[in-house]
Amino acid sequence: MAHRYQAPRGTRDLLPGEIERWQRVEADAREVLARYCYDEIRTPVFEDYELFARSSGESSEVVQKEMYRFKDQGDRDLALRPEGTASVCRAYLEHGFASRGRLHRLWYTGPMFRYARPQKGRYRQFWQLGAEIIGTAAPGADIEMISLFVDLFDAWGFEDLVVALNSVGTPDTRRAYGEQLREWLAPAAGLLSADSQERLTRNPLRVLDTKNPTDLGVLAGKQGGLDPDKMPHMLDALDAEARGHFDAVRAGLEAMEIPHEIDHGLVRGLDYYTRTAFEVHDRSLGAQSALGGGGRYDGLIEELGGPATPAVGFSIGLDRVVLAMEGRGDAAPRKPGLIYVASTEATRAAAPAIVRALRSVYAVDHDLEARSLNAQMRSADRSGVRVVMILGEEEWKKGEVVLKDLRNGSQRTANLDDMVEAIDDILDSDAQEQE
Ligand code: HAM
């Protein structure tokens, strides 16, 4: 009979053989985050729909098209989280973080959900790892954020990544800039996709975020007669404070020699951003090249009903990080067990207790199906363990076991009471041989 069920479109199983790479990515990140003194936070995978609608912005693609919105049995209007920042801010307010200290450094990882057309690097359930600093408007926080962002990629073995940087200003300067942009785009407006024409009316900055090939051609001046060199820049529209902030962030990055370049077209896909915006791309990934992005969101917590609280953060798409690692052929070796405990018919009943005791120290495999000693030895060989402990009938009667070193085939007997020392001896001699 054919399989009846498959993982829903846009979702994947992460199987043994690839999960090891994910585990390594997460372990490396935990180390970096601990050194940066960030605390982990875990929030629910679903929240009130309204939380995301308010924070991401009604005109954002995420809210308009990509939300997994549903009613539960109690008729609550809920949504699977499309991102983590809104949830972190909600938790920050709900648990009165402000009363526990002025500044909070938080990080999270977990699945996010967006209903978009699946393609390489884009899934409907995907994993993010994100970090946020809540409670300060100082450019030092933006600088630390970008340095953490870059150091995570460093830890994962990425080279030659350049941080794209822009400022999206304040809501006021953005309105003024939106007008300039609308004017610049006007002569070619008719050629833009229906989506972009809609955005041109509601939120012209969003046009710069288009992935539509025709729109990209228009923006690049290939059709419609626009001159990309004349595109107005947000940086020129900033007020003095936002400009000063941007310059301070740049100076900080330069002092740390973090490679970055200004990208005037960088506007981010969510509405809550103010001032600093940044992203990093890996072109080897194709169309879905953004490995991660973030920025400042000084108005979000107030928008959610809290006191004015500036904040800055980023998220990284772990699926894409892992894809890029696979692309460069990074090995993610599976760790085999260290020891295989083999038994005979006469000693079979004693094996599980020995295995359990050894498992308090080592990774131990054994037979569950009462197979012959030969079959067990073949399994041990195939699985790549280093030592086989054979519970032979004669030795067992004397309180002994046989230890076989699979590296060189040598065997020795050991007293049951000393089995850990004897195993360590073998492992140490292996280590010495390797040196
Ligand atoms: P975002 O740019 O929407 O930002 O997402 C961050 C990253 O998540 C993207 O750069 C990408 O790597 C990954 N990503 C997004 N959608 C998908 C998808 N459908 N499939 C696979 N990967 C995807 C945020 O989510 C903000 N919360 C970042 C932030 C934190 N800003 C401030 N703090």
Side-chain angles (χ1 to χ4, degrees):
M1 198 175 88
H3 302 296
R4 255 182 88 182
Y5 300 110
Q6 290 181 336
R9 186 164 148 77
T11 72
R12 293 167 306 151
D13 301 306
L14 301 173
L15 303 178
E18 62 184 318
I19 199 77
E20 290 75 11
R21 192 178 273 115
W22 283 80
Q23 289 168 341
R24 209 175 73 196
V25 163
E26 198 179 311
D28 290 346
R30 277 180 189 279
E31 255 180 50
V32 175
L33 287 155
R35 290 200 293 266
Y36 268 79
C37 304
Y38 280 62
D39 294 317
E40 183 176 355
I41 178 167
R42 297 186 192 185
T43 62
V45 292
F46 60 88
E47 301 257 8
D48 284 342
Y49 167 78
E50 201 51 36
L51 172 71
F52 300 121
R54 278 209 93 118
S55 54
S56 302
E58 297 284 358
S59 74
S60 69
E61 194 109 325
V62 166
V63 171
Q64 285 199 338
K65 297 192 188 148
E66 300 183 350
M67 202 77 98
Y68 274 96
R69 184 178 185 181
F70 64 98
K71 287 260 170 84
D72 75 359
Q73 328 273 11
D75 213 32
R76 295 177 191 86
D77 189 9
L78 300 167
L80 296 183
R81 61 181 181 192
E83 58 112 38
T85 310
S87 305
V88 170
C89 292
R90 195 261 314 131
Y92 171 92
L93 288 172
E94 185 170 335
H95 302 287
F97 272 62
S99 67
R100 289 194 252 148
R102 206 173 44 75
L103 196 147
H104 295 270
R105 292 179 165 100
L106 300 168
W107 77 274
Y108 55 87
T109 186
M112 308 290 160
F113 306 85
R114 295 186 191 177
Y115 187 81
R117 196 173 51 80
Q119 63 182 96
K120 184 184 169 202
R122 186 161 72 195
Y123 310 98
R124 291 182 171 168
Q125 171 172 318
F126 59 99
W127 268 258
Q128 278 189 348
L129 182 138
E132 321 281 349
I133 299 182
I134 304 182
T136 176
D142 311 42
I143 297 164
E144 174 172 295
M145 255 311 148
I146 295 174
S147 134
L148 169 59
F149 187 62
V150 167
D151 283 350
L152 284 166
F153 288 110
D154 236 38
W156 294 325
F158 283 83
E159 284 167 8
D160 306 324
L161 290 182
V162 177
V163 178
L165 188 69
N166 198 11
S167 174
V168 294
T170 59
D172 278 347
T173 53
R174 207 152 47 229
R175 252 187 302 279
Y177 173 63
E179 279 313 313
Q180 294 175 20
L181 203 58
R182 196 177 281 137
E183 241 167 69
W184 178 71
L185 285 164
L191 292 176
L192 293 173
S193 66
D195 267 356
S196 283
Q197 295 200 19
E198 227 262 320
R199 291 161 165 183
L200 195 57
T201 343
R202 282 160 64 111
N203 186 353
L205 265 76
R206 193 79 344 115
V207 177
L208 300 183
D209 206 28
T210 181
K211 306 278 181 305
N212 180 301
T214 316
D215 292 352
L216 290 171
V218 171
L219 290 174
K222 291 189 188 133
Q223 317 124 52
L226 295 182
D227 179 356
D229 290 337
K230 299 228 170 77
M231 182 183 95
H233 293 163
M234 185 73 215
L235 291 184
D236 299 326
L238 295 182
D239 59 36
E241 222 186 317
R243 180 72 211 201
H245 186 93
F246 184 76
D247 291 341
V249 172
R250 280 205 76 190
L253 297 184
E254 259 146 41
M256 285 196 283
E257 296 181 5
I258 291 179
H260 62 282
E261 62 192 18
I262 295 179
D263 178 351
H264 296 290
L266 197 167
V267 291
R268 308 280 302 130
L270 303 160
D271 272 356
Y272 50 61
Y273 290 105
T274 51
R275 301 191 180 189
T276 315
F278 57 93
E279 280 177 4
V280 73
H281 290 255
D282 182 335
R283 302 292 163 199
S284 75
L285 290 175
Q288 300 302 317
S289 65
L291 287 173
R296 205 162 248 298
Y297 50 96
D298 292 342
L300 177 55
I301 291 182
E302 201 174 1
E303 177 71 29
L304 298 180
T309 311
V312 57
F314 65 75
S315 309
I316 296 171
L318 295 184
D319 306 77
R320 295 182 190 175
V321 166
V322 171
L323 259 182
M325 285 175 148
E326 276 166 17
R328 63 174 186 241
D330 260 19
R334 282 181 74 176
K335 275 206 193 120
L338 206 56
I339 296 164
Y340 192 101
V341 173
S343 53
T344 65
E345 218 179 312
T347 58
R348 190 168 294 139
I354 296 279
V355 169
R356 184 165 179 234
L358 284 173
R359 278 180 171 160
S360 64
V361 187
Y362 307 109
V364 184
D365 191 6
H366 71 127
D367 170 60
L368 301 172
E369 298 166 311
R371 290 180 310 156
S372 72
L373 186 59
N374 270 344
Q376 294 176 59
M377 294 306 282
R378 278 199 300 276
S379 286
D381 254 339
R382 262 201 308 270
S383 71
V385 296
R386 300 265 288 278
V387 179
V388 187
M389 174 183 282
I390 305 162
L391 311 185
E393 191 174 349
E394 291 311 311
E395 291 83 6
W396 188 252
K397 283 184 192 149
K398 291 185 271 174
E400 287 174 350
V401 293
V402 176
L403 295 174
K404 181 169 181 191
D405 182 345
L406 287 194
R407 285 230 164 153
N408 51 23
S410 67
Q411 283 193 189
R412 68 177 87 171
T413 52
N415 200 289
L416 260 183
D417 295 335
D418 306 327
M419 62 183 179
V420 168
E421 285 81 355
I423 291 168
D424 280 346
D425 259 4
I426 297 178
L427 299 178
D428 283 352
S429 68
D430 274 358
Q432 275 162 19
E433 267 171 39
Q434 275 181 336
E435 273 168 20

